[in-house]
Amino acid sequence: MTQPRGRTSARRLWAERGAARLVGAGGLAVVASLAGILVFLLVEVAPLLGSSTLGAPSPLAGGEVGARALLVDPHRTHLAELGEDGFARLTELETGRERARRRLLDGADPSLLRGVPEDRLLIAADRAGRVRWLRVDWPLRYEGRERVVEPRLSGVEALDLELSGSELLDYALRADPDGASWVGALSSGEVAVVSIETRTNAFSGETRRQTTETRFEVDGRIGRIAIGPERRYAYAATLEGELLSWALDRPSAPERVELPGRAGALAPLLGGRSLIAGLADGRLIQYFRAPGPDGGTPLTRIREFPGLSGPVFAIAPSQRDRSFFAADRGGEIALFHSTTGQRLWSGRAPSGELFALGLAPRANALYVAGSAGTAALEVHNPHPEAGGGGFFGRIWYEDYPRPEYVWQSTGGSDEFEPKLSLVPLLVGTLKGTLYTLLLSVPLGLLGAIYVSQFMHPNLQGVVKPTVEIMASLPSVVLGFVAGLWLAPRLEAFLPGMLAMLFVLPALSIAAGSLWRALPARWTHGRHEGSELVLYLAVLVLGAAVCLELSPSVERAVFGGSVSTWLRETTGLVYDQRNAIVAGIAMGFAVIPIILSLADDALSNVPPDLSAGSLALGATRWQTVARIVLPAASPGIFAAVMIGLGRAVGETMIVLMATGNTPLLDWSAFNGFRTLSANIAVEIPEAPRGGTLYRTLFLAALVLFALTFTLNTAAELVRERLRRRFADD
Amino acid sequence: MTRLAAGALAICLALVAGLIVLIAARGLGYFWQSPIELFELADGTRVLGEVWNWEPRPGGAGRRVRLAVGNRDLTGADFRWIDESEILRRSRPEDAGVFERLEWGKFYGFPAQLLRGDRIAASGAEVWKEIRPLLAEKAEVRARIARLHGGEIDDVNRELERIRIELRQLRRRGLADSERTPILEAEREEYQRRYEAHLVQLRELEDELLAETLVLRAADGSLVRLPAGHAVRAVRANRLRLPQRLGLYASRLAEFLLDDPRESNTEGGIFPAIFGTVMMVFLTSLAVAPFGVLAAIYLREYARDGAFVRLVRISVNSLAGVPSIVFGVFGLGFFVYLVGGSIDQLFYPDRLPAPTFGTGGILWASLTLALLTVPVVIVSTEEGLTSVPRGVREGSFALGATKFETLRRVIVPAALPGVLTGIILAMARAAGEVAPLMIVGMVKLAPSLPIDAHFPFVHLERKFMHLGFHIYDVGFQSPNVEAVQPLVFATALLLILVVLSTNLAAILLRNRLRRKYASSGV
């Protein structure tokens, strides 16, 4: 359709080209922005897959060689070190200037110098039982908009033990404003427990210290000791391969569990439930108190991490999540995440022997002290919980009796262990889809067959708009009616409702016979399909009878309450908002899709096919079943696929008509939570860029991929079918 | 099998009809005033209320009645169940009335006294004569208070906020000592003074609301004092004749459609939700129409037919089936956080950390829905373009028209019904969609409409209320889900009416389009 050039004025040509550009640009922009949705989702999800990284070590100015414990403030402005010489030093990180120093203990044993980042303590001790510690404070002050950290070393506190000849082997100390707990292992084979209670008089401001000491003997020689947060539990590892644990307020009769080697380090994780034991052969093992079968919560070996090559000597748990660093003396350092059991990163410290690890409170930098001085490594570990194992694996979470698939993204406190398994949500999505399709596929397909094959066009003109009305009902209305109106009635009339599954098909057949039996002058000359009115009347009547009889049946057969009966005989729990309610409500959304698309497919089958079949003497139903249905089957398949896609992504109905409990079970009588409903419930509360936020984006991406594939497959099938019949 | 197929279709039709009838009956019933009945029970208690429904007694023989008894302040419950066997006598006392209050919901009882100050102005049934003019007068006072709040006081608040931001700006630029500062300070004092004056005015009006008190007696004899200004309506339900009953119905319907909600959305009207829905749908169609049509014209008329166009067409079709919540997630991440956050950084740094565009709002909601509905417009427009007979097109070319001229003068006008169908279908979809909006801008209760008399008049960054979300929120998040059901049914009915009528318009248009070209032999 080229235009003869010479006769077209320049203005028209200009308009022509301009329009082509504009339309092209606009069209491509729309196409691009639709593609952009996918790209954006991918970009938001991508960081979940990115690995954790540590920056190159940068040596610190002024740090003295030989620090045995390191503490950093949350803003990483100052470093507190405990040196081999028993001095605590405070240095400004930027300048390397020393701000304060204080002697803790003369002649401290280098292997008995400790730092407790959670309590901001530096502790020194010697073999003779002298213990000295101080607390580092990092008060914040604002000068205009400038943030100023003014660190302080507290006064030195002392504890002198009467050891009468034996030596101190190892110890642990935790201290908070209410007091302190100290546990030490002595060469005599005893364990000494000291608890210091500090009481401040509210009126005079005077503080009183009360110290109590208990000692008890244990079997085996203790190598390492640790105390959990809030000074609740103490842990001790023996050289013979046992892990002991006892509640600090009940020191006798410690609990024992096997430890497969000699422990080089013990570290409680955030929340204080888990303990990580690092062994001399480089292995790392997690323990926590898991609910046992007899109602107790014995200390249990949970999982082993891919270990280090040398003996573990230090573990630095994160104070933000359940990640931790572990290191061996030779300088190999690795980052692990306890929930997923994965090693997130591993590498080497700067050359030389390692003395101490110090993880910044925000877990954004690791400080390592060694024979080559102190260095800082930037830590980038934004999504430790993410990964295939975290999202799809069976995981043994803290406080759970066994590994399970659990979705519970947020808890009451910062110490909560996020449980981000997508499996319950996927199962919930499939469950909702299954119950929806069980109802809507038979109804939709049979309905479509009837409309397209057995109904006069005039009547089709009434039925089809009704189906379109059904398709356009807002899902929030369906969800509301299902959740608040249908759910209580389904519970009240359960036997009647379930009976309808059998009664209504039977009544349909009966209605057919009734129509035949009607006097000919009533039925003669009516449009094909008019019998539907009779069917309607019979079915509605049948349903009403079912509901009317339901309470009496419930009393007579089920002892008054079906839900109680269910629980007692089958152990199934009956939720008022369950899969049946959701299935019916989603059926309202899905039936019209299947019905009208299948109707299209069936109507497009060329009439000569069925005419030929009928001419050969086949009955109407034979023609439908053997000729029309096979010819239209790809289209019907496509209709079901598109209906399935709708059921998978439906949000509001699921949100309102089910209990939204992320359970792993297929019972029709309780609720579920789907991917889509989960997004709607949780994303408004998810902090932008966090792991939960991105995980929900991942859920959206999964939904997108799932429905897009289903729909594309269906579209391709439909297109091919259209072309085939167009050729005929 | 044929019979099963017929049965299946009949069930589908019955389900649709049943649902529509249910919602219509419940929704329209909400405004109807039933008689108030007094139940005298075997144990001597007297209960006054409206019969809600009769139901079989759970786990036993006989029936029980559920009464809506109101009086939440006295009993703490909205309903009371009474076994039929316990009822001695039922009656419909003439003096009984239902009093709709600003707080605590409805009160069922008898008027005992009307107090003006401390003086008894009327007592017993006489009170009824005084009530009507009195309440009309108080309604006028309430309207004046609302005007004062929304008008003058709001103006002053805005000015104060403007001055605050300007002062902050000056400080940020280090110009705190400039000559502008004292001017602003003086202005601020002036507005503060005006604010105080308005408060005095407001207090006077509020006192006026409390000038008269209705003393009401509940069925059990306990007395409740209700300031006349806090009564919205007093209905002597058992003496209403049909015209009055219809009048009451109309007045309640008008309140529902035109008033703001009360009592955390469980009473009063839903006007802001209607307004929000309409405005959002309007903005959506404004965004979706040009782009959808352009894309369809490009695909059908300009792009070379080939693998790319086929791919795009199939993708667009498939995109229509992608769950709306996915679009919501995209809207939240892209529009709200990325685009909105950047706008805030660039243009509203003084209001940070309070977000302006960096939070859900009507603009982001509309754009999200535009993306969601653009496939609908594309598909329908393409259908319209395809159905224009080839002869028409070639005729135009034969007359020497260029492609653009043919498109503009011949093809698009002929395809217009298809285009309009697409836009209307998109509007219907947008009106009924809730899930994506829950995360990009809807709120339970928006303090102000997105359009008002303050510059720049249209506030696209504001959060808004929406009929669909209102249903979800009131239906599922209210303290007493049972009691608010009728209101939610009425809202659902309205939403269905909106969606169905737009859909119906689209269906009619499409049918017209098909008929128009059915005979021209494409």
Side-chain angles (χ1 to χ4, degrees), chain A residues 12 16 19 24 40 468 470 472 476 480 484 509 513 535 621 656 679 683 688 693 707 712 716 719, chain B residues 1 3 16 314 318 323 329 333 337 400 402-405 439 468 475-476 481 485 488 499-500 503 510:
Chain A
R12 290 174 63 203
E16 169 75 16
F40 184 80
E468 297 210 24
M470 192 172 178
S472 65
V476 66
F480 155 68
L484 289 186
I509 293 172
S513 311
Y535 277 90
W621 184 257
M656 298 162 93
I679 295 174
I683 211 166
R688 182 189 177 193
Y693 179 82
T707 49
T712 306
L716 288 174
E719 203 193 16
Chain B
M1 280 311 275
R3 294 175 186 176
V16 184
I314 288 175
S318 310
V329 168
Y337 286 151
T402 64
K403 191 172 183 177
F404 173 59
E405 285 160 350
I439 53 186
F476 285 79
V481 169
Q485 260 196 40
V488 184
V499 172
L500 287 194
N503 264 308
R510 197 176 51 200

Short mmCIF file of all heavy atoms in Angstrom, two decimals, chain A residues 12 16 19 24 40 468 470 472 476 480 484 509 513 535 621 656 679 683 688 693 707 712 716 719, chain B residues 1 3 16 314 318 323 329 333 337 400 402-405 439 468 475-476 481 485 488 499-500 503 510:
data_model
loop_
_atom_site.label_atom_id
_atom_site.label_comp_id
_atom_site.label_asym_id
_atom_site.label_seq_id
_atom_site.Cartn_x
_atom_site.Cartn_y
_atom_site.Cartn_z
N ARG A 12 1.25 16.22 5.00
CA ARG A 12 0.62 14.92 5.24
C ARG A 12 1.67 13.84 5.49
O ARG A 12 1.50 12.97 6.33
CB ARG A 12 -0.26 14.54 4.04
CG ARG A 12 -1.50 15.41 3.93
CD ARG A 12 -2.26 15.12 2.67
NE ARG A 12 -2.76 13.77 2.62
CZ ARG A 12 -3.06 13.14 1.48
NH1 ARG A 12 -2.88 13.75 0.33
NH2 ARG A 12 -3.52 11.92 1.50
N GLU A 16 2.12 11.63 8.75
CA GLU A 16 2.17 10.18 8.61
C GLU A 16 3.35 9.59 9.39
O GLU A 16 3.20 8.67 10.17
CB GLU A 16 2.28 9.85 7.11
CG GLU A 16 2.61 8.43 6.78
CD GLU A 16 1.41 7.51 6.96
OE1 GLU A 16 0.30 8.04 7.05
OE2 GLU A 16 1.61 6.30 7.04
N ALA A 19 3.02 10.11 13.21
CA ALA A 19 2.08 9.17 13.81
C ALA A 19 2.71 7.80 13.96
O ALA A 19 2.56 7.14 15.00
CB ALA A 19 0.82 9.08 12.96
N GLY A 24 4.47 3.76 17.39
CA GLY A 24 5.52 2.77 17.65
C GLY A 24 6.10 2.94 19.04
O GLY A 24 6.23 1.99 19.80
N PHE A 40 11.65 -6.16 37.13
CA PHE A 40 11.71 -5.55 38.45
C PHE A 40 11.63 -6.61 39.54
O PHE A 40 12.37 -6.58 40.52
CB PHE A 40 10.59 -4.53 38.60
CG PHE A 40 10.64 -3.78 39.90
CD1 PHE A 40 11.50 -2.72 40.06
CD2 PHE A 40 9.85 -4.15 40.96
CE1 PHE A 40 11.57 -2.04 41.25
CE2 PHE A 40 9.91 -3.47 42.16
CZ PHE A 40 10.78 -2.40 42.29
N GLU A 468 -21.48 -14.21 32.38
CA GLU A 468 -20.56 -13.06 32.43
C GLU A 468 -20.74 -12.28 33.73
O GLU A 468 -19.77 -11.77 34.29
CB GLU A 468 -20.79 -12.14 31.23
CG GLU A 468 -20.49 -12.87 29.93
CD GLU A 468 -19.99 -11.93 28.85
OE1 GLU A 468 -19.46 -10.87 29.19
OE2 GLU A 468 -20.14 -12.28 27.67
N MET A 470 -21.57 -13.58 36.51
CA MET A 470 -20.88 -14.40 37.50
C MET A 470 -19.38 -14.12 37.45
O MET A 470 -18.73 -14.01 38.48
CB MET A 470 -21.16 -15.86 37.20
CG MET A 470 -20.77 -16.82 38.29
SD MET A 470 -21.39 -18.45 37.85
CE MET A 470 -20.79 -19.43 39.21
N SER A 472 -17.90 -11.46 36.61
CA SER A 472 -17.47 -10.11 36.99
C SER A 472 -17.74 -9.80 38.45
O SER A 472 -17.44 -8.71 38.90
CB SER A 472 -18.18 -9.09 36.11
OG SER A 472 -19.55 -9.13 36.38
N VAL A 476 -13.84 -9.69 46.36
CA VAL A 476 -13.98 -9.31 47.77
C VAL A 476 -15.41 -9.58 48.26
O VAL A 476 -15.63 -9.96 49.40
CB VAL A 476 -13.58 -7.82 47.97
CG1 VAL A 476 -14.52 -6.89 47.27
CG2 VAL A 476 -13.49 -7.49 49.43
N PHE A 480 -16.34 -12.19 51.17
CA PHE A 480 -17.13 -11.75 52.31
C PHE A 480 -18.34 -12.66 52.54
O PHE A 480 -18.59 -13.12 53.65
CB PHE A 480 -17.58 -10.30 52.08
CG PHE A 480 -18.82 -9.91 52.82
CD1 PHE A 480 -18.81 -9.81 54.19
CD2 PHE A 480 -20.00 -9.66 52.13
CE1 PHE A 480 -19.96 -9.45 54.87
CE2 PHE A 480 -21.14 -9.31 52.80
CZ PHE A 480 -21.13 -9.21 54.17
N LEU A 484 -18.37 -14.90 55.89
CA LEU A 484 -19.26 -14.48 56.97
C LEU A 484 -20.67 -15.06 56.86
O LEU A 484 -21.36 -15.17 57.86
CB LEU A 484 -19.34 -12.95 57.03
CG LEU A 484 -18.07 -12.29 57.53
CD1 LEU A 484 -18.28 -10.80 57.70
CD2 LEU A 484 -17.61 -12.90 58.82
N ILE A 509 -31.04 -36.27 37.09
CA ILE A 509 -31.51 -37.37 36.25
C ILE A 509 -33.03 -37.51 36.38
O ILE A 509 -33.76 -37.66 35.39
CB ILE A 509 -30.78 -38.66 36.64
CG1 ILE A 509 -29.31 -38.48 36.26
CG2 ILE A 509 -31.37 -39.86 35.96
CD1 ILE A 509 -28.39 -39.56 36.74
N SER A 513 -36.24 -37.22 33.57
CA SER A 513 -37.36 -38.14 33.36
C SER A 513 -38.69 -37.41 33.50
O SER A 513 -39.64 -37.64 32.75
CB SER A 513 -37.30 -39.27 34.38
OG SER A 513 -36.01 -39.81 34.41
N TYR A 535 -35.49 -28.15 35.72
CA TYR A 535 -34.31 -28.59 36.48
C TYR A 535 -34.07 -27.65 37.65
O TYR A 535 -33.82 -28.07 38.77
CB TYR A 535 -33.06 -28.57 35.58
CG TYR A 535 -32.90 -29.81 34.73
CD1 TYR A 535 -33.47 -29.88 33.48
CD2 TYR A 535 -32.17 -30.89 35.20
CE1 TYR A 535 -33.33 -31.00 32.69
CE2 TYR A 535 -32.01 -32.02 34.42
CZ TYR A 535 -32.58 -32.07 33.17
OH TYR A 535 -32.44 -33.18 32.40
N TRP A 621 -25.85 -37.58 22.53
CA TRP A 621 -24.76 -37.66 23.51
C TRP A 621 -23.56 -38.38 22.92
O TRP A 621 -22.42 -38.01 23.17
CB TRP A 621 -25.24 -38.33 24.80
CG TRP A 621 -24.13 -38.30 25.78
CD1 TRP A 621 -23.31 -39.32 26.13
CD2 TRP A 621 -23.64 -37.14 26.48
NE1 TRP A 621 -22.35 -38.90 26.99
CE2 TRP A 621 -22.53 -37.54 27.23
CE3 TRP A 621 -24.05 -35.79 26.51
CZ2 TRP A 621 -21.81 -36.68 28.03
CZ3 TRP A 621 -23.32 -34.93 27.32
CH2 TRP A 621 -22.23 -35.37 28.06
N MET A 656 -10.31 -14.10 53.02
CA MET A 656 -11.51 -13.93 53.83
C MET A 656 -12.19 -15.26 54.17
O MET A 656 -12.83 -15.37 55.20
CB MET A 656 -12.49 -13.02 53.09
CG MET A 656 -11.91 -11.63 52.86
SD MET A 656 -12.78 -10.70 51.58
CE MET A 656 -13.97 -9.82 52.53
N ILE A 679 1.22 -12.89 50.79
CA ILE A 679 1.80 -11.61 50.37
C ILE A 679 0.93 -10.47 50.89
O ILE A 679 1.42 -9.51 51.49
CB ILE A 679 1.89 -11.54 48.84
CG1 ILE A 679 2.86 -12.59 48.32
CG2 ILE A 679 2.35 -10.16 48.40
CD1 ILE A 679 2.90 -12.68 46.82
N ILE A 683 3.17 -8.23 53.41
CA ILE A 683 4.07 -7.25 52.80
C ILE A 683 3.90 -5.85 53.38
O ILE A 683 4.88 -5.11 53.45
CB ILE A 683 3.99 -7.27 51.26
CG1 ILE A 683 5.36 -6.89 50.69
CG2 ILE A 683 2.93 -6.33 50.73
CD1 ILE A 683 5.52 -7.17 49.24
N ARG A 688 11.33 -2.50 53.91
CA ARG A 688 11.79 -2.51 52.53
C ARG A 688 13.23 -3.02 52.47
O ARG A 688 14.09 -2.61 53.23
CB ARG A 688 11.73 -1.10 51.97
CG ARG A 688 12.14 -1.04 50.55
CD ARG A 688 12.28 0.41 50.10
NE ARG A 688 12.74 0.42 48.73
CZ ARG A 688 13.19 1.49 48.13
NH1 ARG A 688 13.24 2.62 48.76
NH2 ARG A 688 13.60 1.42 46.88
N TYR A 693 10.82 -9.05 52.98
CA TYR A 693 10.34 -8.29 51.82
C TYR A 693 10.73 -8.99 50.53
O TYR A 693 9.90 -9.23 49.65
CB TYR A 693 10.96 -6.90 51.91
CG TYR A 693 10.63 -5.93 50.81
CD1 TYR A 693 9.44 -5.22 50.83
CD2 TYR A 693 11.54 -5.69 49.79
CE1 TYR A 693 9.17 -4.30 49.84
CE2 TYR A 693 11.27 -4.78 48.81
CZ TYR A 693 10.08 -4.08 48.83
OH TYR A 693 9.82 -3.16 47.86
N THR A 707 1.49 -18.69 36.84
CA THR A 707 0.28 -18.35 36.09
C THR A 707 0.63 -17.96 34.66
O THR A 707 -0.12 -18.27 33.74
CB THR A 707 -0.46 -17.18 36.76
OG1 THR A 707 0.49 -16.15 37.03
CG2 THR A 707 -1.08 -17.62 38.05
N THR A 712 0.14 -19.01 29.11
CA THR A 712 0.77 -19.03 27.80
C THR A 712 0.53 -20.38 27.12
O THR A 712 0.18 -20.44 25.93
CB THR A 712 2.27 -18.76 27.93
OG1 THR A 712 2.43 -17.56 28.65
CG2 THR A 712 2.92 -18.63 26.58
N LEU A 716 -1.42 -20.77 23.60
CA LEU A 716 -0.84 -21.43 22.43
C LEU A 716 -1.78 -22.52 21.92
O LEU A 716 -2.03 -22.64 20.71
CB LEU A 716 0.53 -22.02 22.78
CG LEU A 716 1.64 -20.99 22.97
CD1 LEU A 716 2.91 -21.65 23.47
CD2 LEU A 716 1.90 -20.26 21.66
N GLU A 719 -4.77 -20.96 20.25
CA GLU A 719 -4.47 -20.36 18.96
C GLU A 719 -4.34 -21.44 17.88
O GLU A 719 -4.88 -21.31 16.79
CB GLU A 719 -3.16 -19.56 19.06
CG GLU A 719 -3.07 -18.49 18.01
CD GLU A 719 -1.67 -17.93 17.92
OE1 GLU A 719 -0.73 -18.55 18.45
OE2 GLU A 719 -1.52 -16.86 17.34
N MET B 1 -26.10 -38.54 30.83
CA MET B 1 -25.09 -37.50 30.90
C MET B 1 -25.66 -36.14 30.52
O MET B 1 -25.31 -35.12 31.11
CB MET B 1 -23.93 -37.82 29.94
CG MET B 1 -22.95 -38.84 30.50
SD MET B 1 -22.39 -38.46 32.18
CE MET B 1 -21.06 -37.33 31.90
N ARG B 3 -28.49 -35.16 31.07
CA ARG B 3 -29.24 -34.63 32.22
C ARG B 3 -28.29 -34.06 33.27
O ARG B 3 -28.58 -33.04 33.88
CB ARG B 3 -30.07 -35.75 32.83
CG ARG B 3 -31.15 -36.20 31.89
CD ARG B 3 -31.86 -37.37 32.46
NE ARG B 3 -32.80 -37.89 31.48
CZ ARG B 3 -33.52 -38.97 31.67
NH1 ARG B 3 -33.40 -39.64 32.81
NH2 ARG B 3 -34.36 -39.38 30.76
N VAL B 16 -25.61 -18.26 40.94
CA VAL B 16 -25.51 -16.83 40.63
C VAL B 16 -26.75 -16.10 41.14
O VAL B 16 -26.66 -15.11 41.87
CB VAL B 16 -25.39 -16.59 39.12
CG1 VAL B 16 -25.19 -15.11 38.85
CG2 VAL B 16 -24.26 -17.38 38.54
N ILE B 314 0.60 -12.99 22.65
CA ILE B 314 0.37 -14.09 23.59
C ILE B 314 0.74 -13.66 25.00
O ILE B 314 0.03 -13.95 25.97
CB ILE B 314 1.16 -15.34 23.15
CG1 ILE B 314 0.48 -15.92 21.91
CG2 ILE B 314 1.20 -16.37 24.26
CD1 ILE B 314 1.22 -17.07 21.31
N SER B 318 -1.59 -13.58 28.25
CA SER B 318 -1.25 -14.33 29.45
C SER B 318 -1.17 -13.41 30.65
O SER B 318 -1.51 -13.78 31.77
CB SER B 318 0.08 -15.04 29.29
OG SER B 318 0.09 -15.75 28.10
N PRO B 323 -1.98 -13.06 38.57
CA PRO B 323 -2.75 -12.62 39.74
C PRO B 323 -2.53 -11.15 40.07
O PRO B 323 -1.42 -10.63 39.93
CB PRO B 323 -2.21 -13.48 40.87
CG PRO B 323 -1.47 -14.58 40.26
CD PRO B 323 -1.11 -14.19 38.88
N VAL B 329 2.39 -6.14 44.35
CA VAL B 329 3.77 -6.22 44.84
C VAL B 329 4.67 -5.34 43.99
O VAL B 329 5.50 -4.58 44.50
CB VAL B 329 4.25 -7.68 44.81
CG1 VAL B 329 5.75 -7.75 45.03
CG2 VAL B 329 3.54 -8.49 45.87
N GLY B 333 6.77 -2.02 45.28
CA GLY B 333 8.21 -1.93 45.15
C GLY B 333 8.64 -0.83 44.21
O GLY B 333 9.55 -0.05 44.50
N TYR B 337 7.90 2.67 46.59
CA TYR B 337 9.22 2.81 47.22
C TYR B 337 10.23 3.47 46.30
O TYR B 337 10.96 4.36 46.71
CB TYR B 337 9.73 1.44 47.68
CG TYR B 337 9.02 0.93 48.90
CD1 TYR B 337 8.88 -0.43 49.13
CD2 TYR B 337 8.49 1.81 49.84
CE1 TYR B 337 8.22 -0.91 50.26
CE2 TYR B 337 7.84 1.35 50.96
CZ TYR B 337 7.71 -0.01 51.17
OH TYR B 337 7.06 -0.48 52.28
N GLY B 400 -6.70 7.68 -1.88
CA GLY B 400 -5.47 8.46 -1.75
C GLY B 400 -5.11 8.85 -0.33
O GLY B 400 -4.20 9.63 -0.14
N THR B 402 -3.48 8.62 3.34
CA THR B 402 -2.32 7.93 3.88
C THR B 402 -2.79 6.96 4.97
O THR B 402 -3.95 6.95 5.37
CB THR B 402 -1.33 8.93 4.52
OG1 THR B 402 -1.98 9.54 5.63
CG2 THR B 402 -0.91 9.99 3.52
N LYS B 403 -1.83 6.21 5.46
CA LYS B 403 -2.15 5.21 6.47
C LYS B 403 -2.71 5.86 7.73
O LYS B 403 -3.71 5.42 8.29
CB LYS B 403 -0.87 4.45 6.80
CG LYS B 403 -1.10 3.23 7.63
CD LYS B 403 0.21 2.46 7.74
CE LYS B 403 0.01 1.18 8.51
NZ LYS B 403 1.23 0.40 8.56
N PHE B 404 -2.06 6.95 8.13
CA PHE B 404 -2.49 7.66 9.34
C PHE B 404 -3.88 8.24 9.16
O PHE B 404 -4.74 8.17 10.03
CB PHE B 404 -1.47 8.76 9.67
CG PHE B 404 -1.90 9.64 10.80
CD1 PHE B 404 -2.15 9.11 12.05
CD2 PHE B 404 -2.06 11.00 10.60
CE1 PHE B 404 -2.55 9.93 13.09
CE2 PHE B 404 -2.46 11.82 11.64
CZ PHE B 404 -2.70 11.28 12.89
N GLU B 405 -4.11 8.83 7.97
CA GLU B 405 -5.43 9.41 7.70
C GLU B 405 -6.51 8.33 7.71
O GLU B 405 -7.61 8.52 8.25
CB GLU B 405 -5.41 10.14 6.37
CG GLU B 405 -4.67 11.48 6.46
CD GLU B 405 -4.22 11.99 5.10
OE1 GLU B 405 -4.31 11.24 4.11
OE2 GLU B 405 -3.78 13.14 5.05
N ILE B 439 -2.08 -3.04 49.35
CA ILE B 439 -0.69 -2.75 49.67
C ILE B 439 -0.16 -1.49 48.98
O ILE B 439 0.94 -1.10 49.24
CB ILE B 439 0.21 -3.96 49.35
CG1 ILE B 439 0.04 -4.46 47.95
CG2 ILE B 439 -0.08 -5.07 50.31
CD1 ILE B 439 0.80 -5.73 47.68
N GLY B 468 -14.39 -1.82 48.07
CA GLY B 468 -14.00 -3.21 48.23
C GLY B 468 -13.23 -3.42 49.52
O GLY B 468 -13.48 -4.36 50.28
N GLY B 475 -16.06 -5.91 57.42
CA GLY B 475 -16.57 -7.26 57.58
C GLY B 475 -15.70 -8.14 58.45
O GLY B 475 -16.18 -9.03 59.12
N PHE B 476 -14.39 -7.91 58.40
CA PHE B 476 -13.51 -8.86 59.07
C PHE B 476 -12.71 -8.28 60.21
O PHE B 476 -12.17 -9.01 61.03
CB PHE B 476 -12.56 -9.49 58.05
CG PHE B 476 -13.25 -10.50 57.18
CD1 PHE B 476 -14.03 -10.10 56.13
CD2 PHE B 476 -13.16 -11.85 57.47
CE1 PHE B 476 -14.70 -11.02 55.35
CE2 PHE B 476 -13.83 -12.77 56.70
CZ PHE B 476 -14.60 -12.37 55.64
N VAL B 481 -18.52 -8.62 64.33
CA VAL B 481 -18.70 -8.91 62.92
C VAL B 481 -20.18 -9.13 62.56
O VAL B 481 -20.64 -8.69 61.52
CB VAL B 481 -17.84 -10.14 62.56
CG1 VAL B 481 -18.18 -10.63 61.18
CG2 VAL B 481 -16.37 -9.79 62.64
N GLN B 485 -22.76 -6.87 59.72
CA GLN B 485 -23.02 -7.57 58.47
C GLN B 485 -23.99 -6.85 57.53
O GLN B 485 -23.71 -6.75 56.34
CB GLN B 485 -23.52 -8.97 58.75
CG GLN B 485 -22.43 -10.00 58.61
CD GLN B 485 -22.97 -11.40 58.51
OE1 GLN B 485 -23.98 -11.62 57.87
NE2 GLN B 485 -22.30 -12.31 59.17
N VAL B 488 -22.29 -4.17 55.68
CA VAL B 488 -21.36 -4.69 54.69
C VAL B 488 -22.13 -5.23 53.48
O VAL B 488 -21.70 -5.05 52.34
CB VAL B 488 -20.47 -5.77 55.31
CG1 VAL B 488 -19.44 -6.23 54.30
CG2 VAL B 488 -19.77 -5.23 56.53
N VAL B 499 -20.06 -2.48 39.54
CA VAL B 499 -19.30 -3.35 38.65
C VAL B 499 -20.20 -3.93 37.57
O VAL B 499 -19.84 -3.96 36.39
CB VAL B 499 -18.62 -4.46 39.48
CG1 VAL B 499 -17.99 -5.48 38.56
CG2 VAL B 499 -17.58 -3.87 40.39
N LEU B 500 -21.38 -4.41 37.98
CA LEU B 500 -22.26 -5.04 37.00
C LEU B 500 -22.75 -4.05 35.96
O LEU B 500 -22.81 -4.37 34.78
CB LEU B 500 -23.45 -5.71 37.69
CG LEU B 500 -23.14 -6.99 38.45
CD1 LEU B 500 -24.43 -7.72 38.77
CD2 LEU B 500 -22.22 -7.89 37.66
N ASN B 503 -20.02 -3.42 33.55
CA ASN B 503 -19.86 -4.60 32.70
C ASN B 503 -20.99 -4.73 31.68
O ASN B 503 -20.76 -5.07 30.53
CB ASN B 503 -19.85 -5.87 33.57
CG ASN B 503 -18.43 -6.29 33.87
OD1 ASN B 503 -17.63 -6.43 32.97
ND2 ASN B 503 -18.13 -6.46 35.12
N ARG B 510 -20.32 -4.23 23.03
CA ARG B 510 -19.65 -5.25 22.24
C ARG B 510 -20.65 -5.93 21.30
O ARG B 510 -20.35 -6.20 20.15
CB ARG B 510 -19.02 -6.27 23.17
CG ARG B 510 -17.98 -7.12 22.48
CD ARG B 510 -17.33 -8.04 23.46
NE ARG B 510 -18.32 -8.77 24.21
CZ ARG B 510 -18.08 -9.35 25.37
NH1 ARG B 510 -16.90 -9.25 25.91
NH2 ARG B 510 -19.03 -10.02 25.98
#
